[in-house]
Amino acid sequence: MFIVANWKAYVETAQRAKKLFVVSKRLASRYAGQHEILLAPPSPFLGMLAYANHSKVLFCVQDVSVDASGAHTGEVTAGAAHSAGASYAIVGHSERRAAGDTNEIVAQKMQHSIGQGLIPILCVGEHERNEDAQYLSFVREEILSALTLLSHKDRAKVILAYEPIWAIGKTASEAITSSDLTEMILYLRKVLSDVLSGNASKRTCILYGGSVEPDNARMLAEGTGIDGFLIGHAATQPESFQALVKVLS
Ligand code: PGA
């Protein structure tokens, strides 16, 4: 499975970052061949840990700038993240969308990421589940618009993370049910099949994120059709991250 640890802004000291990295390295070599462990630390720690990384852990930047380079104080470009050791980029996370990323901005970030050799992890997900299933067309639009600037070849590289906003940052009891997740994954593959060539949509790696904890990870993994998880709070403590990887193994 793909296990992506999104540290968000939870990890604030180099000491904590190093400790989580040590634990992750151990997990990545212990479960090599079974899991890919990806860490998405805050940018300063990404540079610190990824630059000299010789372990099986892979690195992911939490966001990339909409600008490719130039006079943009405070921005982290896809090129800089790649050069610092990242090989993946989270793009369109709901917390970045809430801070102003429109579908158009997300599409440009997707293009920059791919252009600089980063594999984008495209986050999509509805605010709420409305009765008339409008949320399905909302998610469809997020996917279609994010892929518009990419060639068919590049679209096939994208990882999709379904993260319903109503389920983010809560506890296992408030996460999605496995039957709703199964349905959603089928729907996402159908949407992808409309915009990817040939059989590529069958091979797209699809992750789930939103209140994944050691208590519900296995239930969400089994039979739902997902290829992995994007994990927030539960991945920022060594004990719960280890427990999570263990229940998925
Ligand atoms: P959570 O965050 O696991 O804390 O719900 C997931 C995410 O936002 O990526």
Side-chain angles (χ1 to χ4, degrees):
M1 294 210 111
F2 247 78
I3 303 178
V4 187
N6 178 9
W7 293 358
K8 306 192 180 188
Y10 288 119
V11 178
E12 293 172 88
T13 64
Q15 201 186 7
R16 256 189 84 191
K18 281 184 190 160
K19 188 160 179 213
L20 278 165
F21 183 43
V22 168
V23 168
S24 305
K25 280 197 283 195
R26 208 178 301 134
L27 291 168
S29 50
R30 171 143 185 225
Y31 296 106
Q34 190 179 3
H35 301 308
E36 296 285 1
I37 308 266
L38 268 77
L39 300 182
S43 292
F45 303 142
L46 171 76
M48 179 181 85
L49 303 174
Y51 194 59
N53 174 35
H54 299 295
S55 74
K56 293 191 159 47
V57 170
L58 299 167
F59 282 91
C60 179
V61 64
Q62 290 184 10
D63 186 29
V64 294
S65 174
V66 69
D67 300 297
S69 73
H72 304 288
T73 302
E75 295 290 330
V76 176
T77 62
H82 184 258
S83 178
S87 36
Y88 295 81
I90 297 176
V91 178
H93 190 280
S94 58
E95 287 151 16
R96 299 313 318 163
R97 292 181 191 262
D101 279 15
T102 59
N103 280 346
E104 290 69 34
I105 290 175
V106 169
Q108 287 174 39
K109 290 184 172 187
M110 294 287 289
Q111 193 180 36
H112 286 323
S113 301
I114 293 251
Q116 295 299 327
L118 297 173
I119 296 177
I121 301 178
L122 169 66
C123 299
V124 298
E126 73 280 4
H127 292 267
E128 57 179 359
R129 291 226 153 181
N130 23 29
E131 300 265 295
D132 52 2
Q134 258 179 17
Y135 65 91
L136 293 176
S137 42
F138 178 84
V139 170
R140 180 182 167 84
E141 182 51 36
E142 283 190 326
I143 296 174
L144 300 192
S145 58
L147 300 178
T148 43
L149 303 177
L150 305 186
S151 66
H152 278 265
K153 195 166 151 247
D154 287 339
R155 288 177 189 182
K157 298 177 190 161
V158 172
I159 293 176
L160 188 63
Y162 171 60
E163 298 208 298
I165 297 168
W166 50 266
I168 292 179
K170 308 244 175 73
T171 54
S173 61
E174 289 167 277
I176 197 165
T177 63
S178 74
S179 58
D180 283 351
L181 183 56
T182 308
E183 255 174 39
M184 195 64 188
I185 300 302
L186 287 173
Y187 176 72
L188 295 173
R189 289 215 188 270
K190 162 84 189 60
V191 172
L192 289 170
S193 71
D194 293 342
V195 282
L196 266 65
S197 331
N199 279 335
S201 63
K202 294 197 179 123
R203 290 187 300 273
T204 299
C205 178
I206 305 186
L207 315 180
Y208 169 77
S211 298
V212 178
E213 295 185 341
D215 284 351
N216 62 355
R218 186 189 277 268
M219 177 275 283
L220 293 170
E222 278 173 359
T224 52
I226 58 163
D227 303 294
F229 291 104
L230 179 49
I231 303 163
H233 66 276
T236 62
Q237 297 296 337
E239 303 73 28
S240 58
F241 190 49
Q242 283 183 90
L244 255 165
V245 175
K246 209 166 153 207
V247 295
L248 292 172
S249 307

